[in-house]
Amino acid sequence: MPKLLLCALLLCAAPAQAAFQAHRLDAEDLHQPLRVDGRLDHPAWQRAPVHANFHQTQPEDGLPAPLRTEVRVLADGRALFIGVRAFDPDPLAPRGGLARRDRLSNDQDYIGLFLDTAGQGQAAQVLYVNADGALSDGHHHPADGDNLLPDFPFEAATARFDGGWSLVVRLPYASLAYDAAQTSPWKLLVMRNLTRAQRQRFYSAPVARITHCVICQAEPLHIPGARPGGRHWQATVQAVASAHEERGGGQPTRRHDNSRLSLDLKLRPDSATILDATLRPDFSQVELDAAQLSGNTRFALFQPEKRPFFLESSEILQTPLRAIHTRTLAAPDWGLRLTRREQGQDLALLSGRDAGGGLVALPGAYGTAFRRQPASQASLVRALFKQGASSWGLLGSDRHYLGGRGHNRVLGADGLWQLAPSTRVRAQLLGSWSSAQPDAQDSLQRGRRRSGHAAFLTANTDQPQWSLAATLQDLSEGFRADNGFFSQVGVRALSGLGIVKLGKGHFYNEFNAYLHVGRKTDRAGHVIQAEAFPGVWIGGPYDGELELHLKPRVAQRVQADGPLFRSTQWGGRIGLTPSAAVTRLQLEWTLGERLDVLAGAVGRGALLSALGRWRPAPWAELELNLFANRIRSAGGAALLSDRAAQLRAVWHLGPRDSLRLIGQQGRTERPHSRGGQRVASLLFTHGVDAGLSWHLGLTDTRPQGQANQREAFLKLSWTEL
């Protein structure tokens, strides 16, 4: 009996068998070419072990998946091949449609692949592919979710078969971030999303809905043979020619042409190290910034980074506070970056010469001021140390303004503690030292050095019947991060959210009641904003959701010595995915008493936003976004009318060709002022092959009261691998 007990204990303590076992391609397999065509009919796929143990997360949690999904993995000396068969009894049910890269949405049927090459549940490269081969890719972080801005070179294709659809992905080792010397296995998690009257979501591991770390449930992926050392280089040459014209606004017509040749180099001396260099980079944006309302705020509006050079190590640079925001490098002449990823630690260093020309944000408690950005040298260092699902990091940032105009430096540390799959704590502490101070000429000059700090602490837990979250922030008046994004400092803020989960009913899938509280004060203790309000959220079929809340008392102050305004508001959100053609309808609103922050008065008004997506054919997409903010005084006089709209239309002329049209406008009207602009953009993109592409674009910008601007550009990009 003791021997039997000992054997049982040893079996329990032994490592579990790998959930994914890759088949190593040999000479016999390669008698027939292995194509990435979406089909799993090559003989090698039949030799690969099958993983088909999928678990349901939606609509029911913890049950076996009702539809079969099979995963197979192949490997050779250069790449991984992942094949998936998604069985479906209705051959017409899977929803696909062509889409631009990183534009997949939940209204489609798709497969998600999370590959954690460190095997610690800290981060993963993520890839989503829908039933027609459209894809999104990027990084996934347990605390921050998906960052789909980075793009990686890989191949993916899908195919339909009688009984479902299949996917084949080829992931070159050169496009993966890993340490070839590590001994622990990689981990893989596969997710399947189906859009029907009821959304269904399955995972290759038992992922509970309450977990905060989805990739912590990923299972080992065993790859026979040694991992490649990873030596690799890549060069990208870009040529841009543009013609620019300004006409009207009481000024003579001005025209100028411009041409630019840039070079990006990527060197990978080993699997864990990447060296990047860029010379005279072209950072023209083929994507317009999204339309936003700006007429009732005194704070800077955030815009995400979209430029490829800065996206290599973007997941390492993420911290709880936006201490690093590379978009502050407005016009780099050159840049250098080192990225090092190992099993227990990551390192990123970046430095670039910025010609300036943008704006430096000078945040305060009641608004953001701006100064013209002088030329500067911007440098960043970030180190991240991992222990299981927890981590801690160090951050250093320096902005040295040329011509003796001073500097801004930031130093700090942060940590993430994953106490349980559904319980997490994050913290960050930063200090800043600034000698570059605003001058009377709307720029920066060396002045008296100021210092400050920024502190952040948040904790949250999610349980089957309830969840709690609380966040505390303390930002001193002297804190500044010129390489980051802070629109407000000199404040203390505390917020909390409690949710009670009331379960499922006949006509709804979820019913939650919640209470939100928040309070923000300046350093003297004056209330800037305070509110406490209840609400309900209901989720139902067709991705339907209804959220309603009532704010009986909102207190706001717009300046330190000003009055404290009080208002009563109610609002909500309603959304629906009706069909494969009408892929999303959504409306959000806030009604009641509204504060006009510029006029310093409370009136009656409404804040509205609406979204509509329509796919009239698999090769066409239309999206309309509308925003409106209106406030009237007690006597009925108009205080503010702020509107913004964007219409986006995309026609996919082929798997690599697309034509995109964007029209957007914004308009702000007050009793004695009005402003706004209209923008139209037409972009044709043609991809010749994996390494060559070109863009032809036309943009027409018409700001009210200023000169109209027109620009045409041709951008060629060629990459040698």
Side-chain angles (χ1 to χ4, degrees):
M1 185 68 180
K3 289 184 178 180
L4 292 175
L5 180 60
L6 178 61
C7 290
L9 291 174
L10 290 175
L11 286 173
C12 292
Q17 185 179 4
F20 297 95
Q21 180 71 42
H23 170 69
R24 190 82 178 187
L25 295 172
D26 54 26
E28 182 180 357
D29 295 317
L30 298 178
H31 284 163
Q32 179 180 336
L34 181 61
R35 296 186 176 90
V36 181
D37 56 5
R39 305 182 185 278
L40 280 72
D41 51 7
H42 190 282
W45 290 113
Q46 313 313 313
R47 301 187 183 99
V50 179
H51 175 90
N53 187 23
F54 274 71
H55 306 262
Q56 185 177 171
T57 301
Q58 284 182 262
E60 300 292 341
D61 198 354
L63 298 180
L67 297 180
R68 183 173 175 83
T69 308
E70 297 178 351
V71 182
R72 294 173 171 87
V73 183
L74 305 177
D76 61 15
R78 300 184 63 184
L80 277 180
F81 298 82
I82 300 177
V84 182
R85 275 200 176 101
F87 292 87
D88 198 312
D90 184 354
L92 301 178
R95 294 185 184 179
L98 298 176
R100 289 172 300 140
R101 189 165 186 159
D102 299 333
R103 287 286 179 174
L104 261 66
S105 57
N106 278 334
D107 61 85
Q108 302 165 6
D109 284 24
Y110 60 83
I111 299 294
L113 304 175
F114 301 80
L115 184 59
D116 178 4
T117 55
Q120 292 187 306
Q122 290 278 351
Q125 288 179 255
V126 62
L127 167 67
Y128 302 102
V129 185
N130 78 1
D132 285 333
L135 57 93
S136 296
D137 63 328
H139 290 291
H140 177 86
H141 188 275
D144 300 311
D146 291 341
N147 176 10
L148 299 180
L149 292 174
D151 292 330
F152 308 107
F154 64 90
E155 298 175 75
T158 60
R160 303 288 180 115
F161 64 88
D162 186 16
W165 62 284
S166 57
L167 162 70
V168 174
V169 175
R170 181 182 183 272
L171 293 167
Y173 291 117
S175 67
L176 302 177
Y178 67 96
D179 181 5
Q182 79 179 54
T183 56
S184 61
W186 296 0
K187 290 189 175 181
L188 176 65
L189 182 68
V190 182
M191 182 264 283
R192 181 180 176 187
N193 183 83
L194 298 89
T195 300
R196 306 290 188 269
Q198 292 284 1
R199 170 168 308 285
Q200 301 180 58
R201 182 161 290 181
F202 317 142
Y203 286 92
S204 59
V207 176
R209 295 188 68 178
I210 63 172
T211 184
H212 288 162
C213 184
V214 171
I215 60 174
C216 290
Q217 312 306 315
E219 296 176 301
L221 168 61
H222 281 254
I223 305 172
R227 300 184 181 100
R231 284 193 185 89
H232 175 73
W233 69 275
Q234 175 180 314
T236 300
V237 178
Q238 292 185 337
V240 179
S242 62
H244 187 88
E245 177 186 88
E246 295 184 17
R247 175 178 297 179
Q251 300 291 330
T253 299
R254 291 175 291 178
R255 298 183 178 90
H256 63 270
D257 300 332
N258 185 39
S259 61
R260 191 179 188 91
L261 187 67
S262 66
L263 175 65
D264 291 344
L265 294 174
K266 184 185 295 291
L267 175 63
R268 193 167 183 170
D270 58 63
S271 63
T273 306
I274 300 176
L275 299 171
D276 291 277
T278 184
L279 180 64
R280 304 185 73 237
D282 169 63
F283 285 157
S284 61
Q285 293 186 20
V286 294
E287 282 284 351
L288 291 179
D289 288 327
Q292 298 186 67
L293 295 176
S294 59
N296 197 35
T297 180
R298 296 183 174 186
F299 298 102
L301 300 178
F302 178 79
Q303 298 287 4
E305 179 63 85
K306 301 176 182 179
R307 303 170 296 180
F309 175 76
F310 293 113
L311 299 178
E312 170 61 45
S313 54
S314 59
E315 84 285 4
I316 303 175
L317 300 179
Q318 284 183 314
T319 67
L321 295 170
R322 289 191 178 118
I324 298 176
H325 185 42
T326 52
R327 190 154 169 168
T328 58
L329 278 78
D333 293 321
W334 57 265
L336 296 171
R337 182 179 57 239
L338 166 68
T339 304
R340 174 81 180 174
R341 295 183 176 93
E342 300 181 46
Q343 184 176 9
Q345 58 191 32
D346 293 334
L347 176 68
L349 296 93
L350 186 149
S351 186
R353 178 63 61 87
D354 188 1
L359 296 174
V360 179
L362 304 174
Y366 294 93
T368 309
F370 298 94
R371 290 293 188 272
R372 288 183 293 105
Q373 185 186 62
S376 62
Q377 183 75 27
S379 301
L380 304 166
V381 58
R382 168 73 168 155
L384 189 62
F385 304 92
K386 309 171 185 177
Q387 184 62 46
S390 300
S391 64
W392 66 279
L394 298 173
L395 166 70
S397 168
D398 178 79
R399 176 80 73 155
H400 173 72
Y401 293 99
L402 305 184
R405 293 175 177 263
H407 64 262
N408 169 256
R409 292 170 184 154
V410 177
L411 183 65
D414 61 278
L416 183 153
W417 295 270
Q418 192 75 43
L419 306 180
S422 59
T423 303
R424 180 172 58 223
V425 177
R426 298 186 80 185
Q428 185 167 19
L429 180 62
L430 301 169
S432 75
W433 298 266
S434 304
S435 63
Q437 302 297 340
D439 62 14
Q441 284 71 47
D442 196 33
S443 186
L444 299 177
Q445 291 292 344
R446 180 181 293 275
R448 181 179 179 183
R449 193 175 79 163
R450 297 190 66 191
S451 61
H453 71 269
F456 174 93
L457 176 65
T458 185
N460 54 71
T461 184
D462 199 355
Q463 303 301 323
Q465 305 301 324
W466 54 271
S467 65
L468 289 173
T471 300
L472 173 66
Q473 296 188 66
D474 186 289
L475 297 93
S476 68
E477 292 180 347
F479 181 80
R480 213 173 91 201
D482 291 2
N483 288 337
F485 180 85
F486 288 83
S487 61
Q488 187 177 32
V489 300
V491 298
R492 292 188 177 98
L494 174 65
S495 63
L497 176 66
I499 300 175
V500 177
K501 304 174 183 179
L502 302 175
K504 183 177 182 179
H506 186 67
F507 298 106
Y508 56 87
N509 299 334
E510 296 179 73
F511 192 115
N512 297 340
Y514 68 85
L515 176 66
H516 172 85
V517 295
R519 182 180 177 87
K520 183 182 293 184
T521 65
D522 61 21
R523 307 303 289 187
H526 300 135
V527 172
I528 298 175
Q529 183 168 351
E531 59 186 14
F533 60 89
V536 296
W537 181 88
I538 304 171
Y542 297 98
D543 279 349
E545 61 172 342
L546 173 64
E547 187 266 337
L548 298 171
H549 62 260
L550 173 64
K551 299 182 178 182
R553 181 175 176 178
V554 180
Q556 294 172 278
R557 179 179 275 112
V558 298
Q559 52 188 358
D561 55 353
L564 187 64
F565 297 98
R566 291 178 172 85
S567 58
T568 300
Q569 305 169 1
W570 75 278
R573 178 177 72 253
I574 186 170
L576 193 67
T577 300
S579 66
V582 182
T583 61
R584 192 63 180 170
L585 297 174
Q586 188 163 302
L587 175 67
E588 296 185 46
W589 67 90
T590 299
L591 305 175
E593 297 171 318
R594 304 288 316 289
L595 174 63
D596 184 343
V597 298
L598 295 185
V602 172
R604 305 288 299 182
L607 175 64
L608 304 172
S609 67
L611 164 69
R613 293 197 193 107
W614 180 38
R615 185 182 288 275
W619 40 265
E621 303 172 79
L622 292 172
E623 179 175 310
L624 177 63
N625 287 276
L626 301 173
F627 309 90
N629 186 14
R630 294 190 176 184
I631 303 176
R632 292 184 175 273
S633 68
L639 295 176
L640 169 68
S641 175
D642 193 9
R643 304 185 298 274
Q646 183 187 78
L647 175 64
R648 182 191 299 261
V650 182
W651 292 267
H652 300 278
L653 309 178
R656 295 176 178 170
D657 299 343
S658 66
L659 183 66
R660 186 204 70 194
L661 173 66
I662 295 179
Q664 68 183 39
Q665 67 174 6
R667 187 175 181 85
T668 301
E669 297 180 359
R670 291 186 173 277
H672 303 293
S673 66
R674 60 179 57 186
Q677 71 172 13
R678 291 180 293 168
V679 180
S681 171
L682 183 65
L683 178 71
F684 176 69
T685 298
H686 177 59
V688 179
D689 53 37
L692 178 62
S693 64
W694 55 271
H695 307 268
L696 178 62
L698 301 170
T699 303
D700 184 275
T701 304
R702 301 190 176 191
Q704 185 172 346
Q706 301 180 38
N708 298 335
Q709 302 178 31
R710 295 176 180 173
E711 183 177 30
F713 73 89
L714 173 64
K715 179 176 180 177
L716 303 174
S717 179
W718 175 70
T719 300
E720 175 65 26
L721 300 173

